[in-house]
Amino acid sequence: LGSSIVTTKCFLFLPESSAIRAALLIQRWYRQYVARLEMRRRCTWNIFQSIEYAGEQDQIKLYNFFGFLMDHFTPASSERNLISHIFRENEICRDTEWERYFCYKDIEVPDSYTGPHLTFPMTFCGVSKLVEAFKHKQQLHARYVLQLLGETWRLLRILPNINQVSACHTKEITICGDLHGHLEDLLLIFYKNGLPSSEKPYVFNGDFVDRGKNSLEILLILFGFLLVYPNDVHLNRGNHEDHIVNLRYGFTKEVLGKYRMHGKKILKLLQKIFSWLPLATVIDHKVLIVHGGISDTTDLNTIARVDRHKVREAFSINKVFLQSAGGLVEGRRRVCSLTYHSSAPAYKHNLPRRSLHNQPTSSQLNWSVEEELKRRRRQAGFDQSYGELTKSDSDSDPESGETTETDEHEWKQIVDMLWSDPMPQNGCSPNEVRGGGCYWGPDVSEEVLGKHNLQLLIRSHECKQEGYEFCHNRRVLTIFSASNYYEVGSNRGAYIRMGPDLVPHFIQYQASRTSREFTLRQSIGWTERSALRALKEQLFVHKSDLISAFHEFDPNNTGLISLSHWASVTEKVLNLGLPWRVLRPQLVSSTRVCFVCTFRSLSLTHISDNSILETMYKNHSNLETIFRIIDTDHSGLISFEEFRQTWKLLSSHLKTEISDKAIADLAQSIDFNKDGSIDINEFMEAFRLVDLSAHS
């Protein structure tokens, strides 16, 4: 304020022409300043997004490799045995006694427990208390967790693949995008918009879990409201509602950390629940809501008929050898493949599926959704309070293992709905950036929406800086509800309110008080530093490949190359699609680049064996995933022998040789407490990369 007063006083003593010239100079300077900030913001955004999608590609490659092992290794091979259980049909879930396995009744709640107590059937009051408890960082007892999840599974089984909802003048529909474990965002939405109820319906569009630290709390809140208001709370499945994806992106670790004794049961039950989440929601036959998107083959009538619970994982396996009482049985199994679609067992249950074009007309709307749910409960063998399965239906559980061929076209439909992204160009092509699903253009949007007489597609799946974004001539709308997704201040979250006119109204927010207090410059600076740290890690990961490529442009071994060569080589090796010339001042110090200095400031804290150091860090996410797969009892510990098998499996994947001695030395070096086994925390501590320049 003081500077503006001084400036104003100066203008008072200037001739009019000089004052105008000074004002124009200040305006031009300010515009350039804002433009530079915007350029930095976009570069930061591109760094975060490129690294995120590269990680998804690595995940898919790893599990395609596991699929190769399952297809081509003999049943008795050690590599195959290490990972076969993650693709095997869950024996417990197929057993008619699964209810006894997941039974909560034998779990006692001690008198010392101070968290919320739940009663069933769930009530609005009960869920409200649950929300308040989680707001104050209380934990729900495992008994109530299993009971709530069991009730949720029973309800989800009777819901259609495509939920139909209607907006009216008395109530608007609220639509939320990805939450990714950000409980503070969900609580802020409820604070600003109100809790779900029959007067305030919600659609939550998938990706409730992973990345954030409160994924389980979000699920329990949403499932609680679903049980209380099954006609007014609608949950679509996202690509992260997948137990294999959860191994890499944090949800598995979160559950096991919070519920050490019963975490394994909770995860198994959630695996079943994820497979039964509906795939889409349609508002008034005009607005389609799906998590990822569509493709040129999307057919909502097919989606309405497909057995959605058969899509368990996001990766392809052609054959699974199942253990049975009679020995080893070879069976064909359908799982959701991103790049190749194999055969599958089909289960044709007798619950009716709704087609988008087979909905009740306005003259039939007096048939309430509640009556429809009651009818479906009776067909599924439930009582009116989502009670026990009848014996006959339990015996015909869809997971009981009958195997027939299923049209792979149907399964591609689901993959595309969960994983796809829009592109500005016409056409439809494989989504090579994510490694799964497709890219679809505005012509595909027009065709699919026109075929089904729809006017708008709402999807999520992509973080947007403002929380939402239109594309394809405003026929496609992306909504993303996790604010501060990459870093504090990196993006806003948003949700949609939609009334009977079906016009979306946006509410934006930022859940972090810190980010709200930042100036634009401070916010961009904070996120930029975080993005550059992540980018330096990528440079370190590819150190050998980069130095080898740099040497081709340094025949005299000076250690210096031109900026042009540095930028082209870095992009060729990392393949991140970033403006390296713009980023150069943040990464190297001169126009003649000392490429060796690029890596000098980074070091791993505990690993000194350079023979496997780079391999280890480059693949630490894959190693952690394999670690969690091998740790079948979820104890958080593996033996030295299992650690050796982990490395052998990874070396097969990478087609590299790693000696047993190098692996043994590595195991000894990261067994910090010297107890003869490797703890997951020890394992991850070994990958902590330190920026030495920050400590100089």
Side-chain angles (χ1 to χ4, degrees), residues 423-440:
M423 65 178 180
Q425 303 84 6
N426 283 337
C428 192
S429 60
N431 192 332
E432 295 180 354
V433 174
R434 288 189 189 269
C438 72
Y439 280 119
W440 87 92

Side-chain angles (χ1 to χ4, degrees), residues 338-381:
L338 301 181
T339 55
Y340 172 78
H341 301 279
S342 59
S343 301
Y347 167 72
K348 301 300 182 184
H349 55 78
N350 58 11
L351 293 182
R353 297 291 185 190
R354 287 184 182 174
S355 164
L356 182 66
H357 298 297
N358 190 29
Q359 298 300 317
T361 62
S362 57
S363 63
Q364 297 171 303
L365 287 179
N366 56 349
W367 175 260
S368 71
V369 180
E370 182 60 33
E371 290 299 317
E372 174 73 4
L373 283 171
K374 288 178 181 178
R375 182 171 67 85
R376 288 174 178 272
R377 290 172 198 143
R378 288 193 295 271
Q379 288 178 329

Side-chain angles (χ1 to χ4, degrees), residues 250-308:
F251 183 50
T252 299
K253 178 180 178 181
E254 176 191 330
V255 173
L256 294 174
K258 291 175 178 176
Y259 295 93
R260 290 190 175 274
M261 183 176 298
H262 302 285
K264 185 175 180 180
K265 288 184 179 181
I266 292 171
L267 287 171
K268 285 182 179 293
L269 190 47
L270 281 167
Q271 178 181 337
K272 292 170 67 67
I273 286 173
F274 287 166
S275 71
W276 276 103
L277 285 170
L279 302 170
T281 301
V282 174
I283 302 176
D284 287 337
H285 312 294
K286 291 296 181 183
V287 178
L288 172 65
I289 307 172
V290 298
H291 176 72
I294 56 176
S295 72
D296 53 359
T297 62
T298 295
D299 180 4
L300 296 184
N301 293 299
T302 300
I303 292 294
R305 293 191 305 266
V306 71
D307 295 323
R308 67 180 185 269

